[in-house]
Amino acid sequence: MVSIVDRVTALATPRATGGIRWQFWRSPDDQPRWARPALLLVATVAAVSYAWGITRLVPHVYYAAAVRSMASSWHDFFFAAFDPDGLISLDKLPGAFWLQALSVRLFGVHVWALALPQVIEGVLTVLVLYRVVRRTAGPAAGLLAAVVTAAAPVTVALDRGNISDTLLILLLVLAVDRTLAAIERNDPRNLWYAGLFVGLAFQAKMIQAWLIVPVLALAYLVSRIGVRPLRRVAAIAGFGAGTLVVSLSWMTVVSLIPARHRPYVDGSTHDSLFDQVFVYNGAARTDSGFSVGAANLPMSPGGASYRTALVLGPDDRLGHVLTGAGGRETGWLIPLALLILVVLAVLLRRRARSATAPDPVTAVPQRAALILWGGWLLVYLAVFLVVGTVNPYYLAVLTPPVAALIGWGTVEFARRSESAWRVGAVLAALATVAYGWWLLQPAPAAVRWTATAAALLACLLAVGLRGVAAAVLLAAAVLAGPAVAAASVVADGYSALDTPFEPAAQAHVTHDVVRDAIDSGPKLVASAHKTFPAAHIPAVAYTSIIAAPFIYSTGAEVPPVGGFTGMAQALTTADLARLVAHGDIGFALITPSDDPRIHWIQQHCGRLPGDENSVSAYMCAHP
């Protein structure tokens, strides 16, 4: 057996010059010497930006509460229970939250333990994306794609939070990687692995993961030349079947368990996971009038609701992606990526026509990569522009295809010497810089003008250069705006619910309101235990968003009678009457509603002084 000393010795080999070369930093033989050190540097910068100050972050309190409950028992873990007693579940599938619950179970209830899995997943995405882009466009393109991903404001914000989209993105990039491997190696098993990754991504983000399925299938069908069409169709059918089985596995198992042995399924009016996933989290999201439970929680008397402050609504569809908060999150490079997509399509077509014997080793994978990255970008972009409402962090799924196209297109430009390419690239960069200047309107004037001036200077210097030097300067110019926005996210202590340079009213909601609610949790629970020592439930809440701060901060049982929207039947009027009669409920925290259960609480519990337009407290037990 090799000793530890031998292993360490093997990792360090002397340079010809007498220095020490560590294997960890050495690039593989098929890559330039700079490739791995540069990639690890980018990954390190990404890790630092994702993890900087995460001990002080304000989490998405709804998911944080559920994760604390899931970490409290294996029953709650498996069923994705929202409350410690397992009365009601999350309104999402639990794939990503299982990892967070394991982290909390291992390290304790800390905000950094919630965020740690996302930091790791985000760094892995940077590394895997490099691998996938390098496969078809070379290491320089892969490295630039990694840089674009690490510098994307939406990615930095997302990976500093506790939301499931980070895992979704990593798994989708892995699915693209395996699809390309299946095409290159003529091995359908890799396509099955792609189906496995998409199925796991479904466990993290449901139907959003399936949007990439037709793109993967089309790339394999069109690009896997030399294989009979019937065999290609059979491989795609196996990929689809595997995706479906993995996607629906947990839902099916849980649905077969009697309702009395599991939590009520939130997001459903009749306790069905399939209703939760395909209606509440699917078809209903396309409705412009879609409303969520947080809409029941006003921020102040007569003020905007929690949802209004955070969600990109249906009134301005371009605002979902290209303008306003959506643009500052992810819009910076999307027009440029779309332009590059068109240019690459024309370029690959010309190469295929002009070559007397195209090299299948490069031509086929590149055609597949163009379908994969272009299809991914176009499908998700169309969905976000069409649906009624969008949470800004949804947009992070656009980052990998944008980054891959930017990296690939920049390398193609560096290889060209024609004047038309140089002029076109400079004009495209200038347009991107101008768009970034417009997006930076909410930023401090000094930040806006400094970033723009630096970008314009880089463009000016690139005019007199060509090749790699010009490409590097133009890439730096177009990345100036998003890099500054990403840096502001870190400097301001923002996370997934925030957007760069957001209005003070939004920051007040994502930080002050949530932090105050979390801080108030121990006080209310302690008061309930002291005043009503016999009550098992310190308080019930109308919706999950009201209950979440108390569960997260104390781990106490504070069940939401109506789940996230207020419509779930986790507790009926009869249940409330029975619990109150037995003295099991201390307080009730409600918002104005026509719900019969709220009317029952108002009639049978004593109202405590407070603001009638916000959350009202009622005393249901006798001291």
Side-chain angles (χ1 to χ4, degrees):
M1 181 178 295
V2 180
S3 68
I4 294 177
V5 174
D6 292 335
R7 292 179 182 177
V8 173
T9 303
L11 286 175
T13 57
R15 290 181 181 269
T17 59
I20 298 296
R21 174 183 296 172
W22 293 94
Q23 290 282 13
F24 178 74
W25 288 96
R26 291 181 60 186
S27 297
D29 293 337
D30 61 343
Q31 298 179 41
R33 294 180 61 182
W34 52 260
R36 178 168 290 178
L39 175 62
L40 292 176
L41 178 61
V42 172
T44 301
V45 172
V48 170
S49 64
Y50 302 161
W52 189 269
I54 61 172
T55 59
R56 302 183 300 275
L57 292 178
V58 179
H60 189 306
V61 71
Y62 171 67
Y63 296 133
V67 167
R68 176 162 188 167
S69 297
M70 292 167 64
S72 66
S73 75
W74 292 116
H75 173 276
D76 288 354
F77 178 89
F78 178 76
F79 288 110
F82 171 75
D83 60 303
D85 281 1
L87 178 71
I88 191 169
S89 75
L90 269 170
D91 69 343
K92 303 288 189 295
L93 292 187
F97 303 113
W98 279 331
L99 299 180
Q100 294 180 26
L102 290 174
S103 178
V104 169
R105 195 175 181 93
L106 179 63
F107 298 114
V109 184
H110 308 287
V111 67
W112 63 263
L114 292 169
L116 181 62
Q118 285 69 242
V119 173
I120 295 172
E121 292 156 10
V123 173
L124 288 176
T125 298
V126 170
L127 298 174
V128 175
L129 185 64
Y130 166 82
R131 165 193 170 93
V132 182
V133 176
R134 179 188 61 81
R135 174 179 275 120
T136 56
L143 181 64
L144 184 53
V147 171
V148 172
T149 301
V154 66
T155 303
V156 173
L158 175 69
D159 295 345
R160 290 169 56 81
N162 58 313
I163 293 178
S164 57
D165 295 58
T166 305
L167 182 60
L168 164 76
I169 295 167
L170 172 60
L171 291 168
L172 293 186
V173 174
L174 286 168
V176 169
D177 176 62
R178 289 302 87 198
T179 302
L180 278 173
I183 293 169
E184 289 177 342
R185 303 170 188 173
N186 191 21
D187 184 358
R189 289 178 298 180
N190 280 295
L191 195 61
W192 301 341
Y193 294 144
L196 170 65
F197 288 128
V198 175
L200 293 175
F202 182 90
Q203 302 282 3
K205 198 63 179 179
M206 301 164 294
I207 296 176
Q208 190 174 338
W210 281 359
L211 295 177
I212 205 172
V213 168
V215 176
L216 303 180
L218 178 64
Y220 185 84
L221 182 64
V222 172
S223 303
R224 186 57 268 167
I225 59 177
V227 178
R228 289 180 298 177
L230 188 60
R231 291 186 60 187
R232 279 182 267 171
V233 171
I236 292 171
F239 157 73
T243 299
L244 191 65
V245 169
V246 176
S247 298
L248 304 182
S249 57
W250 181 80
M251 294 171 58
T252 302
V253 170
V254 173
S255 297
L256 293 174
I257 296 174
R260 65 181 181 277
H261 296 308
R262 57 173 175 79
Y264 183 94
V265 176
D266 197 6
S268 165
T269 55
H270 51 279
D271 201 15
S272 166
L273 271 170
F274 288 85
D275 184 52
Q276 178 203 82
V277 170
F278 295 108
V279 178
Y280 169 77
N281 283 304
R285 302 279 171 161
T286 63
D287 182 2
S288 296
F290 177 76
S291 181
V292 293
N296 297 322
L297 184 59
M299 294 296 97
S300 61
S305 69
Y306 185 94
R307 176 176 181 268
T308 301
L310 301 182
V311 176
L312 305 176
D315 297 332
D316 180 11
R317 300 303 172 94
L318 289 179
H320 290 183
V321 180
L322 298 173
T323 64
R328 295 194 304 276
E329 280 279 75
T330 198
W332 309 87
L333 301 178
I334 287 179
L336 180 61
L338 292 173
L339 176 61
I340 290 175
L341 175 61
V342 174
V343 171
L344 289 174
V346 173
L347 187 63
L348 292 184
R349 184 173 179 82
R350 286 181 178 176
R351 286 177 181 171
R353 285 182 171 181
S354 63
T356 55
D359 181 9
V361 175
T362 58
V364 171
Q366 285 191 341
R367 179 168 60 186
L370 191 66
I371 294 172
L372 290 167
W373 298 127
W376 181 341
L377 176 59
L378 292 174
V379 168
Y380 281 86
L381 183 59
V383 169
F384 292 142
L385 290 173
V386 170
V387 297
T389 57
V390 170
N391 281 301
Y393 57 80
Y394 292 176
L395 305 174
V397 76
L398 297 171
T399 300
V402 168
L405 291 169
I406 296 290
W408 188 358
T410 302
V411 168
E412 287 290 347
F413 163 74
R415 293 171 179 166
R416 313 289 296 200
S417 58
E418 299 94 326
S419 297
W421 274 80
R422 294 170 58 195
V423 172
V426 171
L427 290 177
L430 286 172
T432 303
V433 171
Y435 176 45
W437 174 83
W438 182 76
L439 286 175
L440 282 170
Q441 291 178 77
V447 172
R448 186 187 189 195
W449 287 106
T450 301
T452 304
L456 290 175
L457 178 61
C459 290
L460 180 63
L461 294 174
V463 171
L465 301 172
R466 64 181 62 198
V468 174
V472 169
L473 284 171
L474 292 179
V478 300
L479 285 175
V484 165
S488 76
V489 169
V490 178
D492 293 334
Y494 286 172
S495 60
L497 291 178
D498 297 292
T499 58
F501 309 113
E502 65 189 9
Q506 182 177 339
H508 172 69
V509 172
T510 57
H511 292 260
D512 300 337
V513 171
V514 175
R515 186 179 287 111
D516 290 346
I518 292 173
D519 291 343
S520 69
K523 300 175 185 176
L524 181 137
V525 171
S527 175
H529 285 318
K530 180 179 179 180
T531 308
F532 316 112
H536 169 65
I537 300 174
V540 296
Y542 178 31
T543 61
S544 300
I545 200 69
I546 300 173
F550 304 102
I551 295 176
Y552 172 63
S553 60
T554 68
E557 174 62 8
V558 182
V561 300
F564 196 74
T565 64
M567 297 176 63
Q569 298 298 308
L571 285 175
T572 64
T573 303
D575 294 330
L576 289 171
R578 174 176 51 80
L579 291 170
V580 170
H582 292 167
D584 287 334
I585 297 177
F587 296 109
L589 307 174
I590 64 174
T591 53
S593 173
D594 292 331
D595 192 308
R597 295 168 297 181
I598 302 306
H599 290 167
W600 189 94
I601 290 172
Q602 292 170 332
Q603 294 169 5
H604 295 84
C605 300
R607 188 179 183 282
L608 299 175
D611 181 11
E612 294 183 0
N613 295 313
S614 186
V615 178
S616 299
Y618 284 77
M619 186 169 62
C620 295
H622 296 291

